[in-house]
């Protein structure tokens, strides 16, 4: 199987894989389609990561081309966001909807939210103060509840 040539520039010295929104979306959609291949702890087998890297390769623009390790690391960060949202949603008395996120309105809510996201493990929730997460429905399918 011959691999497609990258669309963008390849920086041979690049050590970090920079992810575009387009690549992230393509990765999540790919893993969603292949969710039956999910293994232990919500991860996927290496072959799935290899295939996902090949799938997103045509979307490459600059820097390091993603390999299975980069895909695995990115999946880990995506799972962290999902787990943080699910933990927040389960919190006693905490509002969450996927359109408005935590829906922080008013000074009292803002103060409470500020204290919440100031805690290191909760900083990942900062973007979701008043907006949902576009990938939540995909993630809920990958990790069905109940």
């Amino acid at each position: 199987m011959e691999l497609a040539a990258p669309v963008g520039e390849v920086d041979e010295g690049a050590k970090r894989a920079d992810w575009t929104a387009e690549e992230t979306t393509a990765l999540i959609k790919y893993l969603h389609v292949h969710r039956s291949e999910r293994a232990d702890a919500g991860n996927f087998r290496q072959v799935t990561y290899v295939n996902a890297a090949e799938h997103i390769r045509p979307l490459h623009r600059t820097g390091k081309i993603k390999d299975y390790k980069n895909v695995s690391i990115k999946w880990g960060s995506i799972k962290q966001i999902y787990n943080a949202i699910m933990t927040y949603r389960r919190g006693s008395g905490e509002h969450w909807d996927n359109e408005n996120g935590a829906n922080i309105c008013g000074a009292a809510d803002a103060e409470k939210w500020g204290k919440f996201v100031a805690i290191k493990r909760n900083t990942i929730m900062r973007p979701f103060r008043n907006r949902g997460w576009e990938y939540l429905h995909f993630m809920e399918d990958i990790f069905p509840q109940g």
Side-chain angles (χ1 to χ4, degrees):
M1 175 180 201
E2 190 174 317
L3 296 176
V7 175
E9 296 176 27
V10 176
D11 180 356
E12 298 297 336
K15 300 200 187 291
R16 219 179 120 198
D18 295 323
W19 288 81
T20 65
E22 185 180 25
E23 289 170 319
T24 300
T25 299
L27 172 63
I28 292 171
K29 287 181 177 181
Y30 180 88
L31 294 176
H32 179 259
V33 168
H34 295 272
R35 63 187 174 272
S36 65
E37 299 171 23
R38 190 170 56 90
D40 298 333
N43 294 311
F44 289 86
R45 295 182 194 347
Q46 182 175 333
V47 68
T48 304
Y49 293 138
V50 168
N51 292 336
E54 289 177 13
H55 176 77
I56 65 170
R57 190 177 195 146
L59 303 174
H60 176 264
R61 296 291 174 251
T62 62
K64 184 178 187 284
I65 294 176
K66 282 85 176 165
D67 60 18
Y68 78 92
K69 288 180 185 176
N70 302 120
V71 168
S72 174
I73 291 166
K74 183 66 172 179
W75 177 244
S77 67
I78 291 166
K79 282 191 329 182
Q80 283 181 325
I81 294 169
Y82 174 72
N83 289 330
I85 290 171
M86 296 308 289
T87 299
Y88 184 82
R89 283 173 71 173
R90 288 186 213 115
S92 176
E94 303 298 345
H95 171 83
W96 174 272
D97 68 65
N98 205 33
E99 187 174 322
N100 300 306
N103 199 28
I104 304 302
C105 301
D109 284 349
E111 184 178 341
K112 184 178 175 185
W113 178 256
K115 288 177 182 176
F116 174 78
V117 296
I119 299 170
K120 185 174 181 171
R121 73 173 188 273
N122 297 334
T123 58
I124 201 165
M125 289 293 293
R126 193 170 276 138
F128 307 111
R129 173 184 169 133
N130 285 60
R131 70 175 174 90
W133 190 41
E134 65 267 32
Y135 306 122
L136 186 61
H137 63 283
F138 292 111
M139 297 300 288
E140 288 175 329
D141 283 349
I142 294 171
F143 297 103
Q145 304 297 309

